Amino acid sequence: MTIRILLAEDQGMMRGALALLLGLEPDLEVVAQVATGDAVVPTAVRERPDVALLDIEMPGGDGLTAAAELRRRLPGCRVLILTTFGRPGYLRRAMEAGASGFLVKDGPVEELAAAIRRVLAGERVVDPALAAAALAAGPDPLTDRERDVLREAAGGSTVADIAARLHLSESTVRNYLSAAITKTGTRNRIEAVGVAQSNGWL
């Protein structure tokens, strides 16, 4: 049986190389390639792949959001996250989104091909070093609203700007920022954003 693959990767050279290498496997066929997060689901609905290989950070929507939507629209399609950023929070969020696997891009293509076959067989495949890091890091302590406020703060927005964009009062924004700073064990919002990003919570 030929395994049909959708490949979502915003870097053209990486996408082309992966498609070429996977196509050399006798039982794998890349039937679709997309460069943006918002193209994943419509392309998958049209092409009906068996496995979707998704990068996390793409223009037009991230791979984790696409993974969750893909699981709703095409529950038979297995999702394998393939990323440069081996952050513990990304792994947790990927599993919550319904992904069957999570690998970093620096592994050999033979390992990726084997992972594709394994997730299609119903297994869960996770990079072992990342799994250990995720266990050590513990769960994401931030609430959805605290993450929203930190995302806005990451761009250097003022409290007033964040309040206007999120339709909150300025005092509420300050409370969320204070809570996020406390939970991340940092001294200010810049440090809190840094910790949250490095852990993959944002």
Side-chain angles (χ1 to χ4, degrees), residues 169-180:
S169 70
E170 291 185 28
S171 62
T172 300
V173 169
R174 287 192 188 91
N175 288 339
Y176 282 133
L177 284 171
S178 177

Side-chain angles (χ1 to χ4, degrees), residues 3 21 29 35 47 53 57 74 95 109 123 132 148 161 185 202:
I3 301 171
L21 290 169
E29 181 187 1
E47 298 294 339
L53 281 182
E57 297 190 359
L74 282 178
M95 296 300 111
V109 73
E123 293 182 45
D148 290 342
D161 290 338
L202 295 185

Side-chain angles (χ1 to χ4, degrees), residues 8 25 35 78 87 142 176 187:
E25 297 288 322
R78 304 291 186 200
R87 294 173 180 159
L142 302 173
Y176 282 133
R187 295 171 298 180

Side-chain angles (χ1 to χ4, degrees), residues 7 13-25 28 30 33 109:
L7 179 56
M13 189 176 291
M14 171 70 78
R15 188 173 65 249
L18 272 175
L20 182 64
L21 290 169
L22 290 173
L24 296 175
E25 297 288 322
L28 305 182
V30 177
Q33 299 179 44
V109 73

